[in-house]
Coordinates of all heavy atoms in Angstrom, one line a residue:
T1 N 11.1 4.0 -13.9 CA 10.2 5.1 -14.3 C 10.2 6.2 -13.3 O 10.6 6.0 -12.1 CB 8.8 4.6 -14.6 OG1 8.3 4.1 -13.3 CG2 8.8 3.4 -15.6
A2 N 9.7 7.3 -13.7 CA 9.6 8.5 -12.8 C 8.6 8.1 -11.7 O 8.8 8.5 -10.5 CB 9.1 9.7 -13.5
Y3 N 7.6 7.4 -12.0 CA 6.6 6.9 -11.0 C 7.2 6.1 -9.9 O 7.1 6.4 -8.7 CB 5.5 6.1 -11.7 CG 4.5 5.6 -10.7 CD1 3.5 6.4 -10.1 CD2 4.5 4.2 -10.4 CE1 2.6 5.8 -9.3 CE2 3.5 3.7 -9.5 CZ 2.6 4.5 -9.0 OH 1.7 3.9 -8.1
S4 N 8.0 5.1 -10.3 CA 8.7 4.2 -9.3 C 9.7 5.0 -8.5 O 9.8 4.8 -7.3 CB 9.4 3.1 -10.0 OG 8.4 2.3 -10.7
A5 N 10.5 5.9 -9.2 CA 11.5 6.7 -8.5 C 10.8 7.6 -7.4 O 11.3 7.8 -6.3 CB 12.3 7.5 -9.5
S6 N 9.7 8.2 -7.8 CA 9.0 9.1 -6.8 C 8.5 8.3 -5.6 O 8.5 8.8 -4.5 CB 7.9 9.9 -7.5 OG 6.9 9.1 -8.0
K7 N 7.9 7.1 -5.9 CA 7.5 6.3 -4.8 C 8.6 5.9 -3.8 O 8.4 6.0 -2.6 CB 6.8 5.0 -5.3 CG 5.4 5.2 -5.8 CD 4.8 3.9 -6.3 CE 4.5 3.0 -5.2 NZ 3.7 1.8 -5.6
G8 N 9.7 5.6 -4.3 CA 10.9 5.2 -3.5 C 11.4 6.5 -2.7 O 11.7 6.4 -1.6
A9 N 11.4 7.6 -3.4 CA 11.8 8.8 -2.8 C 10.9 9.2 -1.6 O 11.4 9.6 -0.5 CB 11.8 10.0 -3.8
L10 N 9.6 9.0 -1.8 CA 8.6 9.3 -0.7 C 8.8 8.4 0.5 O 8.7 8.8 1.7 CB 7.2 9.2 -1.2 CG 6.8 10.4 -2.0 CD1 5.4 10.1 -2.6 CD2 6.7 11.7 -1.2
D11 N 9.1 7.1 0.2 CA 9.4 6.2 1.3 C 10.6 6.6 2.1 O 10.6 6.6 3.4 CB 9.6 4.7 0.8 CG 8.4 4.1 0.3 OD1 7.3 4.6 0.6 OD2 8.5 3.1 -0.5
I12 N 11.7 7.0 1.5 CA 12.9 7.4 2.2 C 12.7 8.8 2.9 O 13.1 9.0 4.0 CB 14.1 7.5 1.2 CG1 14.4 6.1 0.7 CG2 15.3 8.1 1.9 CD1 14.8 5.1 1.7
M13 N 12.0 9.7 2.2 CA 11.7 11.0 2.8 C 10.9 10.8 4.1 O 11.1 11.5 5.1 CB 10.9 11.8 1.8 CG 10.7 13.3 2.3 SD 9.9 14.3 1.1 CE 8.2 13.7 1.3
S14 N 9.9 9.8 4.1 CA 9.1 9.6 5.3 C 10.0 9.1 6.4 O 9.7 9.5 7.6 CB 8.0 8.7 5.0 OG 8.4 7.4 4.8
K15 N 11.0 8.3 6.2 CA 11.9 7.8 7.2 C 12.7 9.0 7.8 O 12.9 9.1 9.0 CB 12.8 6.8 6.7 CG 12.1 5.5 6.4 CD 13.0 4.4 5.9 CE 12.2 3.1 5.5 NZ 11.2 2.7 6.4
V16 N 13.2 9.9 6.9 CA 13.9 11.1 7.4 C 13.0 12.0 8.2 O 13.4 12.5 9.3 CB 14.6 11.8 6.2 CG1 15.2 13.1 6.6 CG2 15.6 10.9 5.5
M17 N 11.8 12.2 7.7 CA 10.9 13.0 8.4 C 10.5 12.4 9.8 O 10.3 13.1 10.8 CB 9.6 13.2 7.6 CG 9.9 14.1 6.4 SD 8.4 14.3 5.3 CE 7.3 15.2 6.4
A18 N 10.4 11.1 9.8 CA 10.1 10.4 11.1 C 11.2 10.7 12.1 O 10.9 11.0 13.3 CB 9.9 8.9 10.9
L19 N 12.4 10.7 11.7 CA 13.6 11.0 12.6 C 13.5 12.5 13.0 O 13.8 12.8 14.2 CB 14.9 10.7 11.9 CG 15.2 9.3 11.6 CD1 16.5 9.1 10.8 CD2 15.4 8.5 12.9
E20 N 13.3 13.4 12.1 CA 13.3 14.8 12.4 C 12.1 15.3 13.2 O 12.2 16.1 14.0 CB 13.4 15.6 11.1 CG 14.7 15.4 10.4 CD 14.8 16.2 9.1 OE1 13.8 16.9 8.7 OE2 15.9 16.1 8.5
L21 N 10.9 14.6 13.0 CA 9.7 15.1 13.6 C 9.3 14.3 14.8 O 8.5 14.7 15.6 CB 8.5 15.1 12.6 CG 8.7 16.0 11.4 CD1 7.6 15.8 10.4 CD2 8.8 17.5 11.9
G22 N 10.0 13.1 15.0 CA 9.7 12.3 16.2 C 9.8 13.0 17.5 O 8.9 12.9 18.4
P23 N 10.9 13.8 17.7 CA 11.0 14.6 19.0 C 9.8 15.5 19.2 O 9.6 15.9 20.4 CB 12.3 15.4 18.8 CG 13.1 14.6 17.8 CD 12.1 14.0 16.9
H24 N 9.0 15.8 18.2 CA 7.8 16.7 18.4 C 6.6 15.8 18.5 O 5.4 16.3 18.4 CB 7.7 17.6 17.2 CG 8.9 18.5 17.0 ND1 9.2 19.6 17.9 CD2 9.9 18.4 16.2 CE1 10.3 20.1 17.5 NE2 10.8 19.5 16.5
Q25 N 6.7 14.5 18.6 CA 5.6 13.5 18.7 C 4.8 13.5 17.4 O 3.6 13.2 17.5 CB 4.8 13.8 19.9 CG 5.5 13.8 21.3 CD 6.3 12.5 21.5 OE1 5.7 11.4 21.5 NE2 7.6 12.6 21.6
I26 N 5.4 13.7 16.3 CA 4.8 13.6 15.0 C 5.3 12.3 14.3 O 6.5 12.1 14.2 CB 5.1 14.8 14.1 CG1 4.5 16.1 14.8 CG2 4.5 14.6 12.7 CD1 5.0 17.4 14.1
R27 N 4.3 11.5 14.0 CA 4.6 10.2 13.3 C 4.5 10.3 11.8 O 3.6 11.0 11.4 CB 3.7 9.1 13.9 CG 4.0 8.8 15.3 CD 3.0 7.8 15.9 NE 1.7 8.3 16.1 CZ 0.6 7.8 15.6 NH1 0.6 6.7 14.9 NH2 -0.6 8.3 15.8
V28 N 5.4 9.7 11.1 CA 5.3 9.8 9.6 C 5.5 8.3 9.1 O 6.4 7.7 9.4 CB 6.4 10.7 9.1 CG1 6.3 10.7 7.5 CG2 6.4 12.0 9.7
N29 N 4.5 7.9 8.3 CA 4.6 6.6 7.7 C 4.1 6.7 6.2 O 3.4 7.7 5.9 CB 3.7 5.6 8.4 CG 4.1 5.4 9.9 OD1 5.1 4.8 10.1 ND2 3.4 6.0 10.8
T30 N 4.3 5.7 5.4 CA 3.8 5.6 4.1 C 3.0 4.3 3.9 O 3.2 3.3 4.6 CB 4.9 5.7 3.0 OG1 5.8 4.6 3.2 CG2 5.6 7.0 3.0
V31 N 2.0 4.4 3.1 CA 1.2 3.2 2.7 C 1.3 3.0 1.2 O 1.0 3.9 0.4 CB -0.3 3.5 3.1 CG1 -1.2 2.3 2.7 CG2 -0.4 3.7 4.6
N32 N 1.8 1.8 0.9 CA 2.0 1.4 -0.5 C 1.1 0.3 -0.9 O 1.5 -0.9 -0.8 CB 3.5 1.0 -0.7 CG 4.4 2.2 -0.5 OD1 4.0 3.2 -0.1 ND2 5.7 1.9 -0.7
P33 N -0.1 0.6 -1.5 CA -1.0 -0.5 -1.9 C -0.6 -0.9 -3.3 O -0.1 -0.2 -4.1 CB -2.3 0.2 -1.9 CG -2.1 1.6 -2.1 CD -0.7 1.9 -1.5
A34 N -0.9 -2.2 -3.6 CA -0.8 -2.7 -5.0 C -2.1 -2.3 -5.7 O -2.5 -1.2 -5.6 CB -0.6 -4.2 -5.0
V35 N -2.6 -3.2 -6.5 CA -3.9 -2.8 -7.3 C -5.0 -2.6 -6.3 O -5.4 -3.5 -5.6 CB -4.2 -4.0 -8.3 CG1 -5.5 -3.7 -9.0 CG2 -3.1 -4.2 -9.2
V36 N -5.6 -1.4 -6.4 CA -6.7 -1.0 -5.6 C -7.9 -0.9 -6.5 O -7.9 -0.3 -7.6 CB -6.5 0.3 -4.9 CG1 -7.7 0.7 -4.1 CG2 -5.3 0.3 -4.0
K37 N -9.0 -1.5 -6.1 CA -10.2 -1.6 -6.9 C -11.0 -0.2 -7.0 O -12.1 -0.1 -6.5 CB -11.2 -2.7 -6.5 CG -10.6 -4.1 -6.6 CD -10.5 -4.6 -8.1 CE -11.9 -4.8 -8.6 NZ -12.3 -6.0 -9.1
T38 N -10.3 0.7 -7.6 CA -10.9 2.0 -7.9 C -11.8 1.8 -9.2 O -11.6 0.8 -9.9 CB -9.9 3.1 -8.1 OG1 -9.1 2.7 -9.2 CG2 -9.0 3.3 -6.9
D39 N -12.5 2.9 -9.5 CA -13.3 2.8 -10.8 C -12.3 2.6 -12.0 O -12.7 1.9 -12.9 CB -14.1 4.1 -10.9 CG -15.3 4.2 -9.9 OD1 -15.7 3.1 -9.4 OD2 -15.8 5.3 -9.7
M40 N -11.2 3.3 -11.9 CA -10.3 3.2 -13.0 C -9.7 1.8 -13.1 O -9.5 1.3 -14.2 CB -9.1 4.3 -12.9 CG -8.2 4.3 -14.1 SD -7.1 5.7 -14.0 CE -5.9 5.1 -12.8
A41 N -9.3 1.2 -12.0 CA -8.8 -0.1 -12.0 C -9.8 -1.2 -12.4 O -9.4 -2.2 -13.1 CB -8.2 -0.5 -10.6
R42 N -11.0 -1.0 -12.1 CA -12.1 -1.9 -12.5 C -12.2 -2.1 -14.0 O -12.5 -3.2 -14.5 CB -13.4 -1.5 -11.9 CG -13.6 -1.8 -10.4 CD -15.0 -1.4 -10.0 NE -15.4 -1.3 -8.6 CZ -14.8 -1.8 -7.5 NH1 -13.7 -2.4 -7.6 NH2 -15.3 -1.6 -6.3
V43 N -11.9 -1.0 -14.7 CA -12.0 -1.1 -16.2 C -11.1 -2.1 -16.7 O -11.4 -2.9 -17.6 CB -11.6 0.3 -16.8 CG1 -11.5 0.2 -18.3 CG2 -12.7 1.3 -16.4
V44 N -9.9 -2.3 -16.1 CA -8.9 -3.3 -16.5 C -9.1 -4.6 -15.8 O -9.1 -5.6 -16.5 CB -7.5 -2.7 -16.3 CG1 -6.4 -3.8 -16.6 CG2 -7.2 -1.5 -17.1
W45 N -9.2 -4.5 -14.5 CA -9.1 -5.8 -13.7 C -10.4 -6.5 -13.5 O -10.4 -7.6 -13.0 CB -8.4 -5.5 -12.4 CG -7.0 -5.0 -12.6 CD1 -6.6 -3.7 -12.4 CD2 -5.9 -5.7 -13.1 NE1 -5.2 -3.6 -12.7 CE2 -4.8 -4.8 -13.2 CE3 -5.7 -7.0 -13.6 CZ2 -3.6 -5.2 -13.6 CZ3 -4.5 -7.4 -14.0 CH2 -3.4 -6.5 -14.0
D46 N -11.5 -6.0 -13.9 CA -12.8 -6.7 -13.7 C -12.9 -7.8 -14.9 O -13.8 -8.6 -14.8 CB -14.0 -5.8 -13.7 CG -14.3 -5.2 -12.3 OD1 -13.6 -5.7 -11.4 OD2 -15.1 -4.4 -12.2
D47 N -12.1 -7.7 -15.9 CA -12.1 -8.7 -16.9 C -11.3 -9.9 -16.4 O -10.1 -9.9 -16.2 CB -11.3 -8.1 -18.1 CG -11.2 -9.1 -19.3 OD1 -11.7 -10.2 -19.2 OD2 -10.6 -8.7 -20.3
P48 N -12.1 -11.0 -16.2 CA -11.4 -12.3 -15.7 C -10.2 -12.7 -16.5 O -9.3 -13.3 -15.9 CB -12.6 -13.3 -15.7 CG -13.8 -12.5 -15.7 CD -13.5 -11.2 -16.5
A49 N -10.3 -12.5 -17.8 CA -9.1 -13.0 -18.6 C -7.9 -12.2 -18.2 O -6.8 -12.8 -18.3 CB -9.5 -12.8 -20.1
R50 N -8.0 -11.0 -17.9 CA -6.8 -10.1 -17.5 C -6.4 -10.4 -16.1 O -5.3 -10.4 -15.7 CB -7.2 -8.7 -17.7 CG -7.0 -8.2 -19.1 CD -7.0 -6.7 -19.1 NE -6.6 -6.3 -20.4 CZ -6.8 -5.1 -20.9 NH1 -7.3 -4.2 -20.1 NH2 -6.3 -4.8 -22.1
S51 N -7.4 -10.5 -15.2 CA -7.1 -10.5 -13.8 C -6.6 -11.9 -13.3 O -6.0 -12.0 -12.3 CB -8.3 -10.1 -13.0 OG -9.4 -10.9 -13.1
R52 N -7.0 -12.9 -14.0 CA -6.7 -14.3 -13.5 C -5.2 -14.5 -13.2 O -4.9 -15.0 -12.1 CB -7.2 -15.3 -14.5 CG -7.2 -16.8 -14.1 CD -7.8 -17.7 -15.1 NE -9.2 -17.4 -15.3 CZ -9.7 -17.0 -16.5 NH1 -8.9 -16.8 -17.5 NH2 -11.0 -16.7 -16.6
R53 N -4.4 -14.1 -14.1 CA -2.9 -14.3 -13.9 C -2.4 -13.5 -12.8 O -1.6 -14.0 -12.0 CB -2.2 -14.0 -15.2 CG -1.5 -15.1 -15.8 CD -0.8 -14.8 -17.1 NE 0.6 -14.4 -16.8 CZ 1.3 -13.7 -17.6 NH1 0.9 -13.2 -18.7 NH2 2.6 -13.4 -17.3
M54 N -2.8 -12.3 -12.7 CA -2.4 -11.4 -11.6 C -2.9 -12.0 -10.2 O -2.1 -12.1 -9.3 CB -2.8 -10.0 -11.8 CG -2.4 -9.1 -10.7 SD -0.6 -8.8 -10.6 CE -0.4 -7.5 -11.8
L55 N -4.1 -12.3 -10.2 CA -4.7 -12.8 -8.9 C -4.1 -14.1 -8.4 O -4.0 -14.4 -7.3 CB -6.2 -12.9 -9.0 CG -7.0 -11.6 -9.0 CD1 -8.5 -11.9 -9.3 CD2 -6.8 -10.9 -7.7
A56 N -3.6 -14.9 -9.4 CA -2.9 -16.1 -9.0 C -1.6 -15.9 -8.2 O -1.2 -16.7 -7.5 CB -2.6 -16.9 -10.3
R57 N -1.1 -14.7 -8.4 CA 0.1 -14.3 -7.6 C -0.2 -13.7 -6.2 O 0.7 -13.5 -5.5 CB 0.9 -13.3 -8.4 CG 1.4 -13.8 -9.7 CD 2.0 -12.7 -10.5 NE 3.2 -13.1 -11.1 CZ 3.9 -12.3 -11.9 NH1 3.4 -11.1 -12.2 NH2 5.0 -12.7 -12.5
Y58 N -1.4 -13.5 -6.0 CA -1.8 -12.9 -4.7 C -2.3 -14.0 -3.7 O -3.3 -14.6 -4.0 CB -3.0 -11.9 -4.9 CG -2.7 -10.6 -5.4 CD1 -2.1 -10.4 -6.6 CD2 -2.9 -9.4 -4.6 CE1 -1.8 -9.2 -7.1 CE2 -2.6 -8.2 -5.1 CZ -2.1 -8.0 -6.4 OH -1.8 -6.8 -6.8
P59 N -1.5 -14.3 -2.7 CA -1.9 -15.4 -1.8 C -3.3 -15.2 -1.2 O -4.0 -16.2 -1.0 CB -0.8 -15.4 -0.7 CG 0.4 -14.9 -1.4 CD -0.1 -13.9 -2.4
L60 N -3.7 -14.0 -1.0 CA -5.1 -13.7 -0.5 C -6.1 -13.8 -1.6 O -7.3 -13.8 -1.3 CB -5.2 -12.4 0.2 CG -4.3 -12.2 1.5 CD1 -4.5 -10.9 2.1 CD2 -4.7 -13.3 2.5
G61 N -5.7 -13.9 -2.9 CA -6.6 -14.2 -4.0 C -7.6 -13.1 -4.4 O -8.6 -13.3 -5.0
K62 N -7.3 -11.8 -4.0 CA -8.1 -10.7 -4.3 C -7.4 -9.4 -4.4 O -6.3 -9.3 -3.8 CB -9.3 -10.6 -3.3 CG -8.9 -10.3 -1.9 CD -10.0 -10.2 -1.0 CE -9.6 -9.8 0.4 NZ -10.7 -9.5 1.3
F63 N -7.9 -8.4 -5.1 CA -7.3 -7.1 -5.2 C -7.7 -6.3 -3.9 O -8.7 -6.7 -3.2 CB -7.7 -6.4 -6.4 CG -7.2 -7.0 -7.7 CD1 -8.0 -7.4 -8.7 CD2 -5.8 -7.2 -7.8 CE1 -7.5 -7.9 -9.9 CE2 -5.3 -7.7 -9.0 CZ -6.1 -8.1 -10.0
I64 N -7.1 -5.2 -3.7 CA -7.3 -4.4 -2.5 C -8.5 -3.5 -2.8 O -8.7 -2.9 -3.9 CB -6.1 -3.5 -2.2 CG1 -4.9 -4.4 -2.0 CG2 -6.3 -2.6 -1.0 CD1 -3.6 -3.7 -2.1
E65 N -9.4 -3.4 -1.8 CA -10.5 -2.5 -1.9 C -10.1 -1.2 -1.3 O -9.2 -1.1 -0.4 CB -11.7 -3.1 -1.1 CG -12.3 -4.4 -1.6 CD -12.9 -4.3 -3.0 OE1 -13.4 -3.2 -3.4 OE2 -13.0 -5.3 -3.7
I66 N -10.8 -0.1 -1.7 CA -10.5 1.2 -1.2 C -10.6 1.2 0.3 O -9.8 1.8 1.0 CB -11.5 2.3 -1.8 CG1 -11.2 2.4 -3.3 CG2 -11.4 3.6 -1.1 CD1 -12.2 3.2 -4.1
E67 N -11.6 0.5 0.9 CA -11.8 0.5 2.3 C -10.6 -0.1 3.0 O -10.3 0.2 4.2 CB -13.1 -0.3 2.7 CG -14.4 0.4 2.2 CD -14.7 0.2 0.7 OE1 -14.1 -0.7 0.1 OE2 -15.4 1.0 0.2
D68 N -9.9 -1.1 2.4 CA -8.8 -1.7 3.0 C -7.7 -0.7 3.2 O -7.0 -0.7 4.3 CB -8.2 -2.8 2.1 CG -9.2 -4.0 1.9 OD1 -10.0 -4.3 2.9 OD2 -9.2 -4.6 0.8
V69 N -7.5 0.2 2.2 CA -6.4 1.2 2.3 C -6.9 2.2 3.4 O -6.1 2.6 4.2 CB -6.2 1.9 1.0 CG1 -5.2 3.0 1.1 CG2 -5.8 0.9 -0.1
A70 N -8.1 2.6 3.4 CA -8.6 3.6 4.4 C -8.5 3.1 5.8 O -8.0 3.8 6.7 CB -10.1 4.0 4.1
D71 N -8.8 1.8 6.0 CA -8.7 1.2 7.3 C -7.2 1.2 7.8 O -6.9 1.4 9.0 CB -9.2 -0.2 7.3 CG -10.8 -0.3 7.2 OD1 -11.4 0.8 7.4 OD2 -11.3 -1.3 6.9
A72 N -6.3 0.9 6.9 CA -4.9 0.9 7.2 C -4.4 2.2 7.6 O -3.7 2.4 8.6 CB -4.0 0.3 6.1
I73 N -4.9 3.3 6.9 CA -4.5 4.6 7.2 C -5.1 5.0 8.6 O -4.4 5.7 9.4 CB -4.9 5.6 6.1 CG1 -4.1 5.3 4.9 CG2 -4.8 7.0 6.5 CD1 -4.5 5.9 3.6
L74 N -6.4 4.7 8.8 CA -7.0 5.0 10.1 C -6.3 4.4 11.2 O -6.1 5.0 12.3 CB -8.5 4.6 10.1 CG -9.4 5.4 9.2 CD1 -10.8 4.8 9.1 CD2 -9.5 6.8 9.7
F75 N -5.8 3.1 11.0 CA -5.0 2.5 12.1 C -3.7 3.3 12.4 O -3.4 3.6 13.5 CB -4.6 1.1 11.7 CG -3.5 0.5 12.5 CD1 -3.8 0.1 13.9 CD2 -2.2 0.3 12.1 CE1 -2.8 -0.4 14.7 CE2 -1.2 -0.2 12.9 CZ -1.5 -0.5 14.2
L76 N -3.0 3.7 11.3 CA -1.8 4.4 11.5 C -2.0 5.8 12.1 O -1.1 6.3 12.9 CB -1.0 4.6 10.2 CG -0.4 3.3 9.6 CD1 0.1 3.5 8.2 CD2 0.7 2.8 10.5
L77 N -3.1 6.4 11.9 CA -3.5 7.6 12.5 C -4.0 7.5 14.0 O -4.0 8.5 14.7 CB -4.6 8.4 11.7 CG -4.1 8.8 10.3 CD1 -5.3 9.3 9.6 CD2 -3.1 9.9 10.5
S78 N -4.3 6.3 14.4 CA -4.9 6.1 15.7 C -3.8 5.9 16.8 O -2.6 5.7 16.5 CB -5.8 4.8 15.7 OG -4.9 3.6 15.7
D79 N -4.3 6.0 18.0 CA -3.4 5.8 19.2 C -2.9 4.4 19.2 O -1.9 4.1 19.9 CB -4.1 6.2 20.5 CG -4.4 7.7 20.6 OD1 -3.7 8.4 19.9 OD2 -5.3 8.1 21.4
K80 N -3.6 3.4 18.6 CA -3.1 2.0 18.6 C -1.8 1.9 17.8 O -1.1 0.9 18.0 CB -4.2 1.2 17.9 CG -5.5 1.2 18.6 CD -6.0 -0.1 19.0 CE -7.4 -0.1 19.6 NZ -7.4 -0.1 21.0
A81 N -1.5 2.9 17.0 CA -0.2 2.9 16.3 C 0.8 4.0 16.8 O 1.6 4.5 16.1 CB -0.4 3.1 14.8
A82 N 0.6 4.2 18.1 CA 1.4 5.3 18.8 C 2.9 5.2 18.6 O 3.6 6.1 18.6 CB 1.0 5.5 20.2
M83 N 3.4 3.9 18.5 CA 4.8 3.7 18.4 C 5.2 3.3 17.0 O 6.3 2.8 16.8 CB 5.2 2.6 19.4 CG 5.1 3.0 20.9 SD 6.0 4.5 21.3 CE 7.7 3.9 21.1
V84 N 4.4 3.6 16.0 CA 4.7 3.2 14.6 C 5.1 4.5 13.9 O 4.3 5.4 13.8 CB 3.5 2.6 13.9 CG1 3.9 2.2 12.5 CG2 3.1 1.3 14.7
T85 N 6.3 4.6 13.5 CA 6.8 5.8 12.7 C 8.0 5.4 11.8 O 8.7 4.4 12.2 CB 7.2 7.0 13.6 OG1 7.3 8.1 12.8 CG2 8.4 6.7 14.4
G86 N 8.1 6.0 10.7 CA 9.2 5.7 9.8 C 9.0 4.4 9.0 O 9.9 3.8 8.5
E87 N 7.8 3.9 9.0 CA 7.5 2.6 8.4 C 6.8 2.7 7.0 O 6.1 3.7 6.8 CB 6.6 1.8 9.3 CG 7.2 1.4 10.6 CD 8.5 0.6 10.5 OE1 8.6 -0.3 9.6 OE2 9.4 0.8 11.3
T88 N 7.0 1.7 6.2 CA 6.3 1.6 4.9 C 5.4 0.4 5.0 O 5.9 -0.7 5.2 CB 7.4 1.4 3.8 OG1 8.2 2.6 3.7 CG2 6.7 1.2 2.5
L89 N 4.1 0.7 5.0 CA 3.2 -0.4 5.0 C 2.8 -0.9 3.6 O 2.2 -0.1 2.8 CB 1.9 0.0 5.7 CG 0.8 -1.0 5.8 CD1 1.2 -2.3 6.5 CD2 -0.4 -0.4 6.5
I90 N 3.3 -2.0 3.2 CA 3.1 -2.6 1.9 C 1.8 -3.3 2.0 O 1.7 -4.3 2.7 CB 4.2 -3.4 1.4 CG1 5.5 -2.6 1.3 CG2 3.9 -4.1 0.1 CD1 6.8 -3.4 1.1
M91 N 0.8 -2.9 1.1 CA -0.5 -3.6 1.1 C -0.6 -4.3 -0.3 O -0.9 -3.6 -1.3 CB -1.6 -2.6 1.3 CG -1.6 -1.9 2.6 SD -3.0 -0.8 2.8 CE -4.3 -2.0 2.8
D92 N -0.3 -5.6 -0.3 CA -0.3 -6.2 -1.6 C -0.9 -7.6 -1.6 O -0.7 -8.4 -2.5 CB 1.2 -6.3 -2.2 CG 2.1 -7.2 -1.4 OD1 1.6 -7.7 -0.3 OD2 3.2 -7.3 -1.8
G93 N -1.6 -7.9 -0.5 CA -2.2 -9.2 -0.4 C -1.3 -10.4 -0.5 O -1.6 -11.5 -0.8
G94 N 0.0 -10.1 -0.1 CA 1.0 -11.2 -0.2 C 1.8 -11.3 -1.5 O 2.6 -12.2 -1.6
Y95 N 1.5 -10.4 -2.4 CA 2.1 -10.5 -3.8 C 3.6 -10.6 -3.7 O 4.2 -11.4 -4.4 CB 1.7 -9.3 -4.6 CG 2.3 -9.2 -6.0 CD1 1.8 -10.0 -7.0 CD2 3.4 -8.4 -6.2 CE1 2.4 -10.0 -8.2 CE2 4.0 -8.4 -7.5 CZ 3.5 -9.1 -8.5 OH 4.1 -9.1 -9.7
L96 N 4.3 -9.7 -2.9 CA 5.8 -9.7 -2.9 C 6.3 -11.0 -2.3 O 7.3 -11.5 -2.7 CB 6.3 -8.5 -2.1 CG 6.1 -7.1 -2.9 CD1 6.6 -6.0 -2.0 CD2 6.9 -7.2 -4.2
S97 N 5.6 -11.5 -1.3 CA 6.0 -12.8 -0.7 C 5.9 -13.9 -1.7 O 6.7 -14.9 -1.6 CB 5.1 -13.1 0.5 OG 5.3 -12.1 1.5
S98 N 5.0 -13.9 -2.6 CA 4.8 -14.9 -3.6 C 5.9 -15.0 -4.6 O 6.0 -15.9 -5.4 CB 3.4 -14.8 -4.3 OG 3.4 -13.7 -5.2
R99 N 6.7 -13.9 -4.7 CA 7.8 -13.9 -5.7 C 9.1 -14.3 -5.1 O 10.1 -14.2 -5.8 CB 7.9 -12.4 -6.1 CG 6.5 -12.0 -6.7 CD 6.6 -10.8 -7.5 NE 7.4 -11.2 -8.7 CZ 7.7 -10.4 -9.7 NH1 7.3 -9.1 -9.6 NH2 8.3 -10.8 -10.7
M100 N 9.1 -14.9 -3.9 CA 10.3 -15.4 -3.3 C 10.7 -16.7 -3.9 O 10.0 -17.5 -4.4 CB 10.1 -15.5 -1.8 CG 9.9 -14.1 -1.2 SD 9.5 -14.1 0.6 CE 10.8 -15.0 1.3

């Protein structure tokens, strides 16, 4: 889909930008969360009948909260991540690992 293609393009673009902007001490990363419990997502995923199957695939057993994404971004913006650039932070509660 166009959505998936654009997400992939942004991940690659961030790696290229990290190479080009690194000499200027500018770090570039992407954050790719899975299901985030926004108001819109709650309409679908707060229904236990719908969420049960999906949550069974999440080793952490829960969807991502908005604060989880914000905290990850704050970390990447902080001096604690001074050597992190060109990375894609996948936030999925272990979902991709469960598909191995």
Side-chain angles (χ1 to χ4, degrees):
T1 66
Y3 175 76
S4 297
S6 64
K7 283 180 68 171
L10 285 172
D11 288 342
I12 296 302
M13 185 177 77
S14 69
K15 292 182 184 313
V16 171
M17 290 176 69
L19 291 172
E20 293 179 358
L21 298 173
H24 303 284
Q25 302 305 303
I26 297 171
R27 296 177 286 127
V28 183
N29 298 289
T30 57
V31 176
N32 295 4
V35 177
V36 178
K37 294 289 290 241
T38 62
D39 290 339
M40 187 170 76
R42 284 183 189 347
V43 171
V44 174
W45 298 111
D46 276 353
D47 176 3
R50 281 194 166 163
S51 63
R52 189 175 300 115
R53 244 177 92 203
M54 180 66 88
L55 285 173
R57 297 170 135 178
Y58 281 64
L60 294 181
K62 62 181 183 171
F63 292 125
I64 302 161
E65 298 291 338
I66 294 169
E67 294 79 19
D68 297 326
V69 178
D71 288 344
I73 292 168
L74 288 172
F75 165 72
L76 289 171
L77 291 171
S78 76
D79 290 340
K80 301 234 185 258
M83 294 301 293
V84 179
T85 193
E87 296 300 323
T88 298
L89 177 59
I90 297 172
M91 297 183 67
D92 67 356
Y95 176 79
L96 290 177
S97 297
S98 74
R99 303 198 67 183
M100 293 172 60

